[in-house]
Amino acid sequence: MLSYISMDKYFLALLGEAGAAGLDRGFSVRYKVFWDSYLNEKQHWIYFKKYRRSILEKPIYYIFMIIGVIISLLGIGIVKRVNEIVEKNAIDFYVRYFDTKDEDIRRILDDERRHLLMSKT
């Protein structure tokens, strides 16, 4: 399984960023502080579209947007916890499967780390 993941890392990153953009869009309906995070995730999604495309992108985006709205109704504490889990896993994924010396990946990692800090404040 690990060899498949490393071979298709761009596909997983594409769908992951679509989901992250949707989740942050859903969070931002109630908590405007997540708007900038949404815009960053959307840019990451656009970046990975250069490498892969999938019919699953939009459904994942909208499903996660709905999930984000529902989670936001549970309160900022739950939103921060979900955000922390998502961002830690995204950082781990990029560090594990991508070249962290690549300028674009470094920028994405910096954005993800900044998003993680949102869970701490």
Side-chain angles (χ1 to χ4, degrees):
M1 170 113 179
L2 288 178
S3 62
Y4 177 75
I5 290 175
S6 63
M7 283 179 35
D8 216 0
K9 63 187 178 185
Y10 289 101
F11 179 71
L12 293 174
L14 174 77
L15 296 183
E17 292 298 346
L23 198 61
D24 280 344
R25 180 65 180 105
F27 291 165
S28 72
V29 168
R30 185 159 182 209
Y31 302 108
K32 301 302 178 200
V33 70
F34 284 94
W35 184 254
D36 288 336
S37 180
Y38 158 68
L39 295 175
N40 286 147
E41 300 293 6
K42 191 173 171 187
Q43 287 301 313
H44 302 167
W45 180 13
I46 291 167
Y47 171 78
F48 285 109
K49 282 183 180 187
K50 293 188 296 189
Y51 300 99
R52 287 293 306 253
R53 296 300 309 254
S54 173
I55 61 171
L56 298 174
E57 292 172 60
K58 293 259 183 182
I60 286 175
Y61 171 80
Y62 288 113
I63 288 168
F64 276 85
M65 184 176 69
I66 292 166
I67 291 169
V69 169
I70 292 168
I71 291 171
S72 74
L73 295 174
L74 300 174
I76 191 67
I78 302 296
V79 168
K80 286 183 176 185
R81 181 66 182 131
V82 169
N83 184 64
E84 180 180 15
I85 292 166
V86 169
E87 298 301 347
K88 281 183 177 179
N89 284 309
I91 292 166
D92 180 54
F93 175 78
Y94 288 121
V95 167
R96 184 180 235 169
Y97 295 108
F98 286 88
D99 178 10
T100 57
K101 294 176 184 163
D102 178 271
E103 184 179 322
D104 292 324
I105 299 301
R106 255 196 342 252
R107 181 185 48 80
I108 290 170
L109 272 169
D110 289 344
D111 287 344
E112 302 295 358
R113 288 181 181 118
R114 208 171 51 255
H115 301 163
L116 179 60
L117 290 176
M118 295 171 65
S119 298
K120 306 297 182 189
T121 60

